[in-house]
Amino acid sequence: MSTEPRINERIRVPEVRLVGPNGEQVGIVSIGDALKLAQESDLDLVEVAATARPPVCKLMDYGKFKYESAMKAREARRNQAHTIIKEIKLRPKIDPHDYETKKGHVVRFLKAGDKVKVTIMFRGREQSRPELGFRLLQRLAEDVTELGFVESQPKQDGRNMIMVIGPHKKKAEAKAEKAAARARTPGDPAEGEDMSLDHDMASASEPQE
């Protein structure tokens, strides 16, 4: 089925609620009078609300409208960025130095506009102390609250506990800021640029919502 609106002679109703080219309300008129006004104005009669009673039609340059809509859609696709989910894995009894290192990775990912999946891995008797993992996740979320928010609350997944932190900054904004930083300081690595990570980190792509 066509998703394009009916225009001009394709509009087969006795009367319409007419809207002028500048959004002014003309009122309910016969389809004949509406088509005559469109012809006199060198515009198209376009059905913009087919389910209304009577249908709402607007006087416009439909060719120009379609072109501008296509350009806006193309620009939106061009600016669309993909959200990356990075993963950080922690142990519930992580030592302070390792915690700061892992937190640094989370900070860098969030600054780059990426989501972070934080996984607490329980082993042996640790599985009977899920509160340790929960408190660690809460602490991490509080430490990075200026850069991200808890998108998915901590939940048990087998032997692991998982939480997802989303960035306050959109991916496109982060990329624009990184480009601006590179322009200001050519040759220097931009803030938030990914470095090599240890083997327990993985990444997976998913499209931005």
Side-chain angles (χ1 to χ4, degrees):
M1 295 179 61
S2 174
T3 58
E4 291 196 3
R6 295 188 296 180
I7 64 172
N8 300 326
E9 286 76 13
R10 292 173 54 199
I11 303 172
R12 306 285 182 84
V13 292
E15 58 184 16
V16 298
R17 184 178 298 276
L18 187 62
V19 179
N22 298 315
E24 66 274 19
Q25 298 291 328
V26 178
I28 297 176
V29 299
S30 70
I31 187 64
D33 288 344
L35 288 170
K36 184 178 179 181
L37 283 171
Q39 188 175 16
E40 291 174 349
S41 304
D42 197 22
L43 295 171
D44 298 299
L45 182 67
V46 182
E47 190 176 55
V48 294
T51 58
R53 291 293 179 267
V56 179
C57 294
K58 184 176 181 179
L59 296 173
M60 68 172 74
D61 183 336
Y62 188 58
K64 180 180 178 182
F65 170 76
K66 283 185 66 177
Y67 175 79
E68 291 177 347
S69 297
M71 289 299 99
K72 289 179 182 178
R74 183 180 301 176
E75 188 67 21
R77 287 193 299 270
R78 184 180 302 157
N79 292 333
Q80 184 180 23
H82 291 287
T83 298
I84 306 298
I85 294 186
K86 303 288 188 175
E87 183 174 14
I88 295 291
K89 296 182 178 179
L90 311 174
R91 294 295 307 281
K93 294 182 180 180
I94 189 171
D95 67 64
H97 175 74
D98 285 346
Y99 174 80
E100 291 301 320
T101 299
K102 300 285 188 177
K103 185 180 73 174
H105 293 321
V106 175
V107 167
R108 186 169 69 252
F109 294 149
L110 293 174
K111 283 184 177 180
D114 296 323
K115 295 182 182 181
V116 185
K117 176 183 177 183
V118 185
T119 301
I120 304 293
M121 301 180 298
F122 296 95
R123 295 177 183 172
R125 295 181 180 179
E126 292 173 348
Q127 296 180 59
S128 63
R129 300 287 305 280
E131 69 277 6
L132 295 178
F134 183 77
R135 285 201 294 266
L136 182 58
L137 291 175
Q138 280 190 316
R139 174 187 172 190
L140 180 60
E142 291 173 0
D143 286 348
V144 299
T145 188
E146 292 185 1
L147 299 171
F149 62 96
V150 177
E151 186 174 288
S152 178
Q153 293 292 334
K155 62 181 179 180
Q156 199 76 28
D157 182 17
R159 294 184 177 183
N160 301 328
M161 182 174 289
I162 296 171
M163 177 180 74
V164 177
I165 303 176
H168 291 313
K169 187 185 303 179
K170 293 182 179 180
K171 186 73 174 177
E173 295 174 358
K175 290 178 69 176
E177 289 185 7
K178 183 185 292 186
R182 283 176 176 166
R184 289 195 301 269
T185 56
D188 292 341
E191 183 181 8
E193 188 172 354
D194 283 356
M195 308 296 286
S196 59
L197 304 179
D198 54 12
H199 69 279
D200 66 354
M201 300 178 194
S203 66
S205 298
E206 71 172 18
Q208 188 172 10
E209 303 174 351

